[in-house]
Amino acid sequence: MNRATFNKICCLTDSSDLEGLRQAIFYYVLVAAIVTVPVFGGLRNFMFGKYAIAKASLIAELILILSFIVYKKGKCGYAKLLLLSAVGLLLLSVVCQGIQFMYMWMALFPALSFILFPSETALFLSIFFGIAVFVVDYLVHRRIGGRELYFLQEMLIFYVFMVAGGFLYAKVMERQQFLLKWLTSKDELTGAVSRSRFLENLEKEIPRAKRYDVPLSFIMFDLDNFREINKTLGYEVGNSFLRQVVRAIERNIRSADVIVRWGDDEFVVFAPHTDIFGAIKLANKLKGVIDSVFSKVGGKITVSMGVTSMKKEDTVEEVFRRLDEALYLAKNRGGNRIESLE
């Protein structure tokens, strides 16, 4: 297991907008659990002679109260982990009690995991708990065979489907949230993401990318001699070409990539999960796309591009200083070319 994978598994919170929603849900679940566990978990099961569950409910209540205290101290990640531990303890007590029809409650663990934690962390916790359930069931009941084996197989299939479904759903939610935050503020003229919104989101993306060793690449391009269109054909025609450039690029980049209007006729393409070699390849592709847009005006308008990728020690300012320098090299060497700096 490499460091990036380990960091993903150990991430109890993240810096995305989803974390705020997770914390809100956690708070209400925690309060509801503190109120209901003593009654429905402790008292009710004690009255019906389910002493293993009743005892576990008392311990779980103490863990829930500790979770609330930790939450109030601002350690939300650890508080969520304590809540999940209390739930896991209650579910394992059902196994110890041997009430098979209540095993359906095991699905509560992955459901809560994927609600409260980032997808990789929730997946690890769900797998760990699933193994714990089957180990405890075997150690307590020692009846692997016949109907018990068939029952455990059915439980395993059900649990695997729950975990797989939860993981896919969490991934889709994280992906949609990632895309949504880039689309909430666009440049009115071209439809590209505005510079201010891009920089605001990038300040959050760079620390996360460094933590998980995710490569981030940037392409900055400037339209050579674009002012000639404005002078000879008018600003409306020039604006129409800018919109065509943005639409053409959007059709030729991935859904995770973002095009940003950086200046009048200057744009940035942000390509996450792309190294410098992939970014240079993408730049060559996009240059051909842009050239085709301006081919109708006789090739008088060309494009110069600068390419760079984020280094581990980079700040936002250092990335764009290097990106500006790469674009300057392309312009200074005659334009209509691509230059890269690592």
Side-chain angles (χ1 to χ4, degrees):
M1 181 186 296
N2 59 36
R3 185 179 181 83
T5 303
F6 180 78
N7 287 339
K8 283 185 178 182
I9 291 173
C10 294
C11 184
L12 301 180
T13 60
D14 62 37
S15 58
S16 72
D17 295 338
L18 279 177
E19 184 57 35
L21 178 62
R22 291 189 187 114
Q23 291 188 18
I25 294 173
F26 159 74
Y27 178 78
Y28 291 111
V29 170
L30 178 60
V31 171
I34 290 174
V35 173
T36 58
V37 164
V39 179
F40 296 105
L43 182 60
R44 185 176 70 93
N45 282 286
F46 180 80
M47 292 173 62
F48 284 96
K50 311 299 181 185
Y51 300 119
I53 300 176
K55 291 176 183 177
S57 297
L58 295 178
I59 299 172
E61 181 68 10
L62 295 175
I63 297 174
L64 291 172
I65 293 171
L66 178 61
S67 174
F68 188 81
I69 294 171
V70 171
Y71 170 75
K72 286 298 184 180
K73 291 183 177 294
K75 303 291 185 180
C76 190
Y78 293 108
K80 290 191 292 184
L81 194 60
L82 284 168
L83 168 63
L84 201 62
S85 300
V87 171
L89 176 63
L90 283 171
L91 295 175
L92 288 175
S93 71
V94 171
V95 177
C96 294
Q97 196 74 61
I99 309 174
Q100 291 191 348
F101 73 87
M102 290 183 66
Y103 278 34
M104 63 181 180
W105 285 101
M106 300 303 157
L108 180 62
F109 192 93
L112 271 178
S113 297
F114 287 108
I115 289 173
L116 298 179
F117 295 99
S119 54
E120 285 82 5
T121 306
L123 179 63
F124 171 77
L125 292 171
S126 298
I127 292 173
F128 179 82
F129 178 73
I131 294 172
V133 167
F134 285 91
V135 170
V136 169
D137 186 86
Y138 174 73
L139 293 177
V140 172
H141 302 296
R142 301 281 183 175
R143 48 187 190 195
I144 300 299
R147 289 182 57 190
E148 179 70 12
L149 182 59
Y150 181 80
F151 173 77
L152 289 177
Q153 287 176 349
E154 290 297 304
M155 275 298 303
L156 177 62
I157 294 170
F158 175 70
Y159 192 82
V160 166
F161 272 101
M162 281 295 301
V163 172
F167 182 71
L168 291 175
Y169 178 76
K171 276 295 185 183
V172 169
M173 287 291 292
E174 290 171 2
R175 176 68 173 165
Q176 289 301 108
Q177 187 273 336
F178 175 82
L179 295 177
L180 181 63
K181 69 181 179 180
W182 291 109
L183 300 175
T184 51
S185 180
K186 287 195 169 187
D187 173 61
E188 292 183 5
L189 176 64
T190 64
V193 173
S194 68
R195 177 172 175 167
S196 59
R197 181 62 176 176
F198 171 71
L199 290 174
E200 178 186 338
N201 288 322
L202 191 63
E203 289 285 356
K204 300 177 183 178
E205 290 301 320
I206 284 184
R208 182 160 50 228
K210 288 181 177 180
R211 186 191 318 147
Y212 296 142
D213 292 328
V214 174
L216 302 180
S217 291
F218 303 81
I219 302 169
M220 180 179 283
F221 66 87
D222 179 84
L223 303 177
D224 305 321
N225 306 316
F226 184 73
R227 292 179 182 177
E228 291 186 12
I229 287 186
N230 291 330
K231 288 180 180 178
T232 58
L233 301 178
Y235 285 95
E236 284 300 318
V237 175
N239 291 341
S240 174
F241 272 114
L242 289 179
R243 287 190 288 268
Q244 290 180 54
V245 167
V246 171
R247 287 196 296 269
I249 287 178
E250 287 177 337
R251 289 194 298 268
N252 287 273
I253 58 178
R254 305 166 303 174
S255 59
D257 299 336
V258 178
I259 179 168
V260 183
R261 191 179 186 194
W262 199 250
D264 290 338
D265 58 338
E266 193 173 59
F267 295 85
V268 168
V269 174
F270 171 58
H273 299 275
T274 305
D275 60 17
I276 187 68
F277 304 106
I280 293 171
K281 184 178 179 180
L282 177 60
N284 278 286
K285 175 185 176 182
L286 295 181
K287 187 178 186 309
V289 168
I290 296 170
D291 287 342
S292 68
V293 171
F294 290 105
S295 61
K296 60 190 72 175
V297 289
K300 294 179 181 179
I301 308 302
T302 56
V303 61
S304 297
M305 291 184 164
V307 182
T308 194
S309 288
M310 188 190 73
K311 299 176 183 178
K312 194 76 173 178
E313 66 276 9
D314 274 342
T315 62
V316 174
E317 292 75 16
E318 289 167 339
V319 169
F320 282 94
R321 178 196 59 75
R322 198 162 59 249
L323 193 59
D324 275 324
E325 187 177 344
L327 179 59
Y328 174 79
L329 285 175
K331 301 284 282 188
N332 198 43
R333 291 173 179 174
N336 194 25
R337 61 187 294 129
I338 299 170
E339 295 289 343
S340 63
L341 288 175
E342 296 187 53

